[in-house]
Amino acid sequence: MSQLRLYNTLTRRLQPFVPQEPGKVKMYHCGPTVYQRPHIGNYRAFLFADLLRRTFEASGLEVLQVMNLTDVGHLVGDADEGEDKLDAQARKEKVDPWQIVATVSEQFFQDLEALQIRPAHHYPKATDHIEEMVAQIEVLLEKGHAYRVGDNVYFDVHSFPDYGRLSGNKVADLEAGARVEVNQEKRHPADFALWKSDPRHLMKWKTVFGEHGFPGWHIECSAMSMKYLGDSFDLHTGGEDNVFPHHECEIAQAEGVSGKTFVNLWMHTKFLQVDGGKMSKSLGNVYSLDDLEQRGFEVLDFRFLVLRAHYRASVNFTWKALQGAAEARKNLHDFRGRLQAQLRGPAMQAEAGEHSGPARKAFWDALHDDLNTSAALAALFELRNAYTQKGMEATEAADALDLLNLADDIFGLFDQESADSGDLPDPEIDALVEERNQARRNRDFARSDQIRDQLAAAGIVLEDGPEGTLWHRA
Ligand code: AMP
Ligand code: ZN
């Protein structure tokens, strides 16, 4: 089998994936800022994290996965400016920021479940880790990577020669491009805040740095990732906007504290665009999962839309594209149903072969090529076309079904809830189908219709054909 190769933003190359500890993967994902319900763009980034998780697990690796919740310190502007997003939202809604955190986090977890995203092992909240952040800042001060100005603390980017390696930015260029009105108390314009003091801030802590302070956004992610995954771990992800300054700053902080390589592999998802551009409130196209459902789509159709594209390719969300994804997903679902129907019943039971068909190879080769989900799905559709054109022998069908089940395991294509819960067991369905056939032979159409309705209510579709009645789950 081919080897998994992934694109590393840090080296700008595809690299074979080799975990630090054989058989185990440790990864961290920048999670949502919980000031309002995450939009479908955010979910593109989180679905990518889930794709990594599922691919590793399907390959037999044990995964330790952490995604944080940012509930303080994420400012509206990138360069340490503007209001804190949570503070601003709380003032706007005239409610307690902690209430917003609670409501939005709950909504976020419901969304993850609806999207069939496997729960991470930890979802640390920034406000629960103030102590860890303060401890890291104290080490940075001791080691000369940070300096205090009154109750504020800044990271000195000139103390860390690698600053800019991830994003390709040069400190000199950053400084030349810095606006004149930037915070005058910093030693250099490119320095960034680790701790900020502001008595008017709604969420604030008394620490060694002063009475009313709060952390900078970047220190949150170094403190939380290192707490749960150690000084050095395999993989860190985020959307493409996280490369700079967020991840650049995380590296400087983490490596400044530990002196070790923080993360081996940095991966970034390209932004989801809507109607060909950025989502914006003024255009009214900042969609939530509810908006999709209100238009009659399933949340999983969106999952499919995202996975149809490679994570580093642009995806343009339009209702038409979502419609296309919904149809394609239904086609795969029907294909699986037909295979299941063909393989049902003792006469048709076939032992799945070696599972070594060309489609399986194409599927894995695509995934191993930097998670090319687009090509992996294309391999499934090719299989479906072959089936539609000339059908399949039982062994071949069993092989195809096994591959579709594997694809479902990695992509979360089909609704697991309806498949797993409350379903009629197969033998019961077989018996009802047989009873219906008998009723039809006896021209007892009232009874046969009744059975068809009963099965339909349980999500079972019947197809009467020349070889008898086939059934599959809707
Ligand atoms: P935020 O809630 O702004 O902290 O963002 C949470 C995650 O979503 C981050 O990893 C962002 O990079 C990512 N993200 C934000 N907008 C988009 C988008 N339109 N497409 C893909 N990822 C996004
Ligand atoms: Zn982060």
Side-chain angles (χ1 to χ4, degrees):
M1 187 139 74
S2 49
Q3 198 194 1
L4 174 61
R5 285 151 60 85
L6 298 171
Y7 183 83
N8 191 349
T9 309
L10 190 67
T11 57
R12 293 165 184 75
R13 273 191 282 123
L14 279 175
Q15 291 177 196
F17 178 69
V18 185
Q20 291 181 346
E21 194 181 329
K24 294 198 173 148
V25 184
K26 290 186 189 161
M27 58 180 181
Y28 183 90
H29 317 287
C30 284
T33 305
V34 285
Y35 70 115
Q36 52 184 225
R37 183 178 182 179
H39 52 62
I40 54 174
N42 299 126
Y43 286 115
R44 183 181 190 195
F46 307 149
L47 281 167
F48 173 64
D50 188 57
L51 171 69
L52 279 165
R53 158 89 174 262
R54 286 167 173 262
T55 306
F56 289 137
E57 288 184 341
S59 312
L61 293 164
E62 191 187 318
V63 179
L64 178 57
Q65 186 183 32
V66 180
M67 178 179 279
N68 74 294
L69 304 188
T70 299
D71 55 354
V72 68
H74 193 169
L75 305 187
V76 173
D78 257 352
D80 291 340
E81 11 108 45
E83 275 184 289
D84 182 315
K85 292 188 183 184
L86 256 145
D87 239 54
Q89 191 68 22
R91 287 180 207 277
K92 196 166 109 192
E93 291 183 27
K94 298 194 171 54
V95 292
D96 187 74
W98 299 99
Q99 185 53 51
I100 296 181
V101 172
T103 314
V104 173
S105 306
E106 197 186 324
Q107 182 69 71
F108 168 65
F109 289 121
Q110 283 171 13
D111 283 353
L112 291 186
E113 203 180 327
L115 280 165
Q116 297 188 164
I117 290 179
R118 289 190 184 154
H121 303 90
H122 302 280
Y123 288 102
K125 261 187 358 199
T127 52
D128 289 337
H129 295 79
I130 299 295
E131 237 175 78
E132 287 83 349
M133 297 171 207
V134 170
Q136 286 200 339
I137 297 171
E138 287 191 292
V139 176
L140 291 172
L141 282 165
E142 262 165 48
K143 293 195 170 182
H145 286 299
Y147 57 93
R148 283 182 71 163
V149 182
D151 292 348
N152 295 332
V153 189
Y154 296 98
F155 189 97
D156 176 352
V157 297
H158 288 263
S159 75
F160 188 76
D162 253 4
Y163 191 78
R165 204 174 127 212
L166 180 73
S167 58
N169 282 320
K170 294 204 167 56
V171 171
D173 295 344
L174 290 171
E175 294 188 344
R179 274 170 280 146
V180 195
E181 70 271 21
V182 289
N183 182 344
Q184 293 291 332
E185 66 178 33
K186 291 183 191 175
R187 281 187 198 159
H188 320 101
D191 292 350
F192 58 91
L194 297 167
W195 191 262
K196 294 189 117 179
S197 164
D198 182 356
R200 286 158 309 153
H201 203 266
L202 298 174
M203 297 161 118
K204 48 185 186 260
W205 289 263
K206 183 176 175 195
T207 65
V208 287
F209 311 125
E211 285 296 313
H212 343 262
F214 64 98
W217 173 37
H218 317 311
I219 196 73
E220 298 176 3
C221 282
S222 347
M224 291 187 279
S225 60
M226 287 163 84
K227 168 163 180 180
Y228 293 94
L229 300 174
D231 289 351
S232 187
F233 55 93
D234 296 300
L235 217 167
H236 194 314
T237 76
E240 58 179 335
D241 62 326
N242 285 160
V243 176
F244 189 86
H246 188 49
H247 290 166
E248 192 74 69
C249 297
E250 268 190 60
I251 296 174
Q253 297 160 160
E255 300 191 357
V257 166
S258 74
K260 298 180 197 151
T261 299
F262 176 38
V263 168
N264 288 350
L265 180 58
W266 289 88
M267 296 184 79
H268 295 94
T269 325
K270 202 162 169 90
F271 260 29
L272 179 83
Q273 296 212 310
V274 175
D275 304 325
K278 225 179 150 162
M279 265 177 271
S280 104
K281 287 227 173 77
S282 59
L283 294 174
N285 64 4
V286 181
Y287 299 125
S288 73
L289 297 187
D290 277 358
D291 295 324
L292 312 188
E293 287 186 313
Q294 271 161 21
R295 294 257 194 145
F297 291 99
E298 287 179 39
V299 166
L300 294 183
D301 296 329
F302 173 69
R303 187 184 229 285
F304 195 80
L305 173 94
V306 166
L307 290 172
R308 267 176 125 185
H310 186 243
Y311 73 94
R312 287 193 289 127
S314 345
V315 172
N316 183 24
F317 177 89
T318 60
W319 294 109
K320 200 163 156 239
L322 187 60
Q323 181 63 40
E327 282 162 19
R329 189 171 81 89
K330 183 173 181 307
N331 287 342
L332 271 190
H333 190 260
D334 289 351
F335 177 32
R336 187 176 71 156
R338 280 165 197 281
L339 291 170
Q340 283 168 336
Q342 180 181 342
L343 293 166
R344 202 163 279 128
M348 300 298 281
Q349 283 298 345
E351 270 301 302
E354 287 280 281
H355 296 314
S356 58
R360 179 174 303 264
K361 181 172 183 315
F363 179 83
W364 274 119
D365 283 352
L367 276 185
H368 282 169
D369 179 18
D370 195 26
L371 301 175
N372 191 339
T373 51
S374 172
L377 283 170
L380 303 183
F381 281 100
E382 266 183 42
L383 201 59
R384 176 177 173 271
N385 288 345
Y387 176 85
T388 316
Q389 279 163 19
K390 47 184 175 42
M392 278 178 186
E393 301 282 317
T395 327
E396 213 185 337
D399 209 11
L401 181 58
D402 192 74
L403 178 56
L404 278 180
N405 288 337
L406 171 72
D408 183 30
D409 186 42
I410 296 179
F411 291 149
L413 299 171
F414 310 125
D415 190 344
Q416 302 304 311
E417 215 156 80
S418 72
D420 298 343
S421 67
D423 275 343
L424 281 177
D426 285 8
E428 239 170 82
I429 300 169
D430 287 336
L432 280 165
V433 169
E434 186 39 43
E435 192 189 333
R436 175 171 168 270
N437 287 341
Q438 192 58 47
R440 280 175 11 134
R441 281 195 288 274
N442 298 340
R443 309 190 66 75
D444 180 357
F445 296 116
R447 177 64 188 144
S448 78
D449 286 352
Q450 196 184 23
I451 295 173
R452 175 184 277 277
D453 291 348
Q454 182 188 347
L455 288 169
I460 307 301
V461 179
L462 300 182
E463 280 178 38
D464 297 317
E467 302 105 63
T469 304
L470 295 178
W471 63 264
H472 62 90
R473 295 178 199 273

